[in-house]
Amino acid sequence: MSAIAAETFSASVSNVASPKAVPDTYGSKAHHLANGKGFTNPWPSLRSLIIQSNRSRWHNGNLTGPSTKDVPFKVRTPKYLPSRHADNSNLRATWLGHACYFVEYPEGLRVLFDPVFSQRCSPISFLGPKRFTDIPGKIADIPIIDAVCISHNHYDHLDLPTIKEIHRLHPSVFFFVPLGNKAWFTSIGIKNCIELDWFESRTLTLTPTSTDPDSKTVTTGQAPGSISATIELLPCQHTSNRGLFDRSLTLWGSYSVSTASKSVYFAGDTGYRTVPKPDGYKGYPANDYEHPPFIDLDECPAFKTIGDTRGPFDLGLIPIGAYKPRWLFSCMHADPRDAARIFQDTRCKKALAMHWGTWVLTDEDVEEPPVLLRTALKERGIEETGVFDTIAIGESREF
């Protein structure tokens, strides 16, 4: 089914009628810089952001870290529901590589998170990190896209060719972005772009353009067959930039996307604490949560706030990769032990992993994240399978 044939709904965005209160610690907007020119992470869990030493490792398109030769990863051909009203009473999530998930809600809503369908995550098509696993199909294979949620503007999460192709095939789709990113979308001719601050939300309503007796009504008081969702930007610990001189000028975030039946938490790209490089550094212990001087490091409080005020969630989509060396990446990328804590803090009932298995961005072995995740879950008293899982690129799970 083509995107045009599937488009039988008109979409609109409005303010949430009764928005949830902004938590007290965020009402002051401490994440906004005082001069109004950018944003910051307002927690002691991020002590520094060291990136310069990593730039030179990307110039030839590959890091000098782990090998990707003969990796056993299989990429499946994704299978999507053919229409909004396919027989499906479950929440359905399909991993499309790195941080990209396509989520199909029982009511018929279809949401795409951080889509990148290019070979390289780079401003230059022939330089920068190149995929070591295949792209799982084409954007044209996805029959319906109602909303695209972008966590921040780094090239492995916001890709120009991908965004333009989505807009071409699905011209009525709405793009939800953190503050400061709308200008980028406007510059490429996209008007359906909604900027959000942390703990700011909108209602996305899909209304049938023709009578459909098989459509599903989500809430009373709406037009028969309409679909409604609340999309809210939430905090995470990261940064932003697409060039050398725009660091942190635009906001970053995570998302809650909920309908009357199901709720999804998308963690975006995030760190959880900052693990420093100690004096006399000779490497890190196997578990830096259990050894001095790392035991009492500050942890990002945003995730517990999200869980306490917005949870529980039916499904969490949580990053587990791109974390070594810890002294360089811990402040902005969660490792599996961090991810297990984010899962618990945000009160997700189930979770799927992301942000691994696609590009070599850091130094850990490409097969390590899922192995370490199972260890981390066991340490936290969480079942090793069936609760917070890793899946194949192109694979779908139902909840």
Side-chain angles (χ1 to χ4, degrees):
M1 178 181 293
S2 69
I4 294 175
E7 186 56 59
T8 60
F9 281 59
S10 62
S12 62
V13 174
S14 60
N15 291 333
V16 176
S18 300
K20 295 181 179 179
V22 176
D24 291 341
T25 52
Y26 292 89
S28 64
K29 297 190 181 296
H31 59 290
H32 290 234
L33 294 180
N35 61 7
K37 297 181 179 180
F39 305 89
T40 187
N41 294 277
W43 318 288
S45 55
L46 195 149
R47 299 181 182 179
S48 63
L49 184 61
I50 307 170
I51 60 161
Q52 290 79 2
S53 62
N54 196 50
R55 287 178 182 158
S56 62
R57 305 195 303 170
W58 289 352
H59 285 175
N60 64 357
N62 293 285
L63 298 183
T64 58
S67 172
T68 60
K69 184 179 180 180
D70 299 324
V71 292
F73 296 173
K74 293 183 179 180
V75 176
R76 302 184 182 182
T77 300
K79 295 181 179 179
Y80 308 109
L81 297 175
S83 70
R84 293 191 191 277
H85 310 308
D87 185 14
N88 180 54
S89 59
N90 297 322
L91 183 71
R92 194 169 183 271
T94 304
W95 187 36
L96 298 175
H98 200 53
C100 180
Y101 266 93
F102 182 66
V103 179
E104 298 163 294
Y105 289 76
E107 293 87 350
L109 178 72
R110 305 292 185 255
V111 181
L112 191 59
F113 294 93
D114 280 5
V116 178
F117 282 74
S118 295
Q119 283 289 349
R120 296 184 186 269
C121 55
S122 168
I124 304 172
S125 62
F126 55 88
L127 289 177
K130 186 178 181 180
R131 287 177 184 263
F132 64 87
T133 47
D134 293 335
I135 300 172
K138 301 177 181 178
I139 297 168
D141 298 331
I142 305 175
I144 305 166
I145 305 174
D146 298 309
V148 177
C149 293
I150 302 295
S151 64
H152 65 298
N153 69 359
H154 284 161
Y155 287 93
D156 56 327
H157 297 258
L158 178 61
D159 177 60
L160 177 61
T162 297
I163 297 299
K164 292 176 71 173
E165 181 70 354
I166 291 172
H167 178 61
R168 184 182 73 82
L169 294 171
H170 303 269
S172 64
V173 70
F174 274 89
F175 294 86
F176 293 84
V177 301
L179 286 179
N181 286 287
K182 184 174 181 178
W184 185 88
F185 284 81
T186 301
S187 72
I188 59 173
I190 294 176
K191 297 179 179 179
N192 287 352
C193 183
I194 307 298
E195 278 189 334
L196 298 172
D197 199 353
W198 288 352
F199 292 103
E200 189 175 5
S201 57
R202 295 288 187 273
T203 295
L204 173 65
T205 302
L206 306 174
T207 304
T209 56
S210 60
T211 302
D212 183 353
D214 296 323
S215 65
K216 302 175 183 179
T217 301
V218 179
T219 61
T220 59
Q222 296 181 344
S226 63
I227 299 169
S228 179
T230 300
I231 298 176
E232 183 174 23
L233 186 71
L234 298 169
C236 69
Q237 180 172 295
H238 203 59
T239 186
S240 66
N241 73 294
R242 290 180 75 80
L244 298 178
F245 306 107
D246 62 342
R247 183 157 306 281
S248 298
L249 292 182
T250 64
L251 189 57
W252 49 93
S254 58
Y255 282 92
S256 166
V257 180
S258 60
T259 63
S261 68
K262 297 291 183 179
S263 59
V264 173
Y265 174 66
F266 176 75
D269 198 352
T270 186
Y272 189 69
R273 59 183 195 153
T274 300
V275 181
K277 187 176 183 180
D279 294 337
Y281 173 75
K282 295 181 180 179
Y284 288 101
N287 183 353
D288 56 46
Y289 274 93
E290 295 183 351
H291 292 270
F294 311 115
I295 294 175
D296 297 321
L297 294 175
D298 290 303
E299 300 173 356
C300 182
F303 302 104
K304 193 172 188 307
T305 299
I306 290 169
D308 290 344
T309 65
R310 299 302 190 261
F313 298 95
D314 293 296
L315 176 64
L317 305 172
I318 300 175
I320 65 166
Y323 50 81
K324 284 185 177 179
R326 289 284 274 162
W327 63 266
L328 179 59
F329 290 105
S330 61
C331 58
M332 58 178 174
H333 286 167
D335 79 349
R337 286 189 171 91
D338 299 328
R341 287 162 171 80
I342 292 172
F343 169 73
Q344 291 180 315
D345 285 356
T346 53
R347 299 175 61 199
C348 293
K349 297 175 183 177
K350 298 291 180 67
L352 294 174
M354 63 179 188
H355 208 263
W356 72 285
T358 307
W359 291 286
V360 172
L361 302 176
T362 49
D363 287 348
E364 73 273 7
D365 186 271
V366 295
E367 298 178 71
E368 180 180 282
V371 176
L372 185 55
L373 177 63
R374 290 193 293 272
T375 299
L377 296 175
K378 184 177 181 179
E379 292 169 351
R380 301 295 292 178
I382 304 168
E383 292 183 31
E384 294 176 51
T385 58
V387 178
F388 186 169
D389 289 339
T390 57
I391 60 176
I393 295 175
E395 182 179 355
S396 301
R397 286 284 178 91
E398 293 189 3
F399 302 87

